[in-house]
Amino acid sequence: QVQLVESGGGLVQAGGSLRLSCAASGSIVSINDMGWYRRALGKQRELVALITSGGSTNYADSVKGRFTISRDNAKNTVYLQMNSLKPEDTAVYYCNAEAHTILLPPLHYWGQGTQVTVSS
């Protein structure tokens, strides 16, 4: 099927930056939307940013102007550049991709999650 492997999480001070990466692999024919979600402790998972195959983007209001999502279609990889981080950005960040494989129609796949912790 499709595997999503995330990297780039960690501990950073408020005001700092991190860059998350998520590489998709498997019997991929094409990938439609790719996105980043996050789940903070005690809260529901929320959409952080989304990017279509054509490059259109959508952001949660809480991260607009601070986070930038991008993708490299040749590498089946999506990135999330996070600047001016705040303690409230602390969460587990999950990569999501809607991928069409050789055997299956487009389905949503999830990465294992990467922890981002912002200290005040």
Side-chain angles (χ1 to χ4, degrees):
Q1 307 304 336
V2 176
Q3 296 80 41
L4 300 180
V5 178
E6 299 137 339
S7 61
L11 173 65
V12 65
Q13 288 187 334
S17 299
L18 284 174
R19 188 190 194 212
L20 305 183
S21 299
C22 173
S25 62
S27 303
I28 298 171
V29 173
S30 62
I31 299 178
N32 298 330
D33 295 351
M34 300 185 82
W36 290 94
Y37 293 73
R38 67 187 181 187
R39 178 181 288 156
L41 194 62
K43 296 185 178 180
Q44 290 187 332
R45 185 175 61 197
E46 63 173 353
L47 173 66
V48 176
L50 191 72
I51 185 167
T52 68
S53 57
S56 297
T57 58
N58 187 32
Y59 296 92
D61 288 342
S62 59
V63 307
K64 283 181 181 177
R66 301 188 297 121
F67 291 10
T68 302
I69 189 171
S70 60
R71 64 190 284 175
D72 184 333
N73 291 330
K75 296 180 179 180
N76 289 333
T77 299
V78 63
Y79 307 94
L80 185 67
Q81 178 66 44
M82 305 185 292
N83 298 328
S84 301
L85 282 161
K86 304 175 181 179
E88 50 264 44
D89 295 317
T90 296
V92 179
Y93 284 70
Y94 297 91
C95 172
N96 177 273
E98 185 185 23
H100 180 191
T101 64
I102 294 174
L103 297 178
L104 296 171
L107 296 173
H108 283 275
Y109 297 89
W110 292 91
Q112 78 284 359
T114 184
Q115 177 70 45
V116 171
T117 303
V118 184
S119 63
S120 58

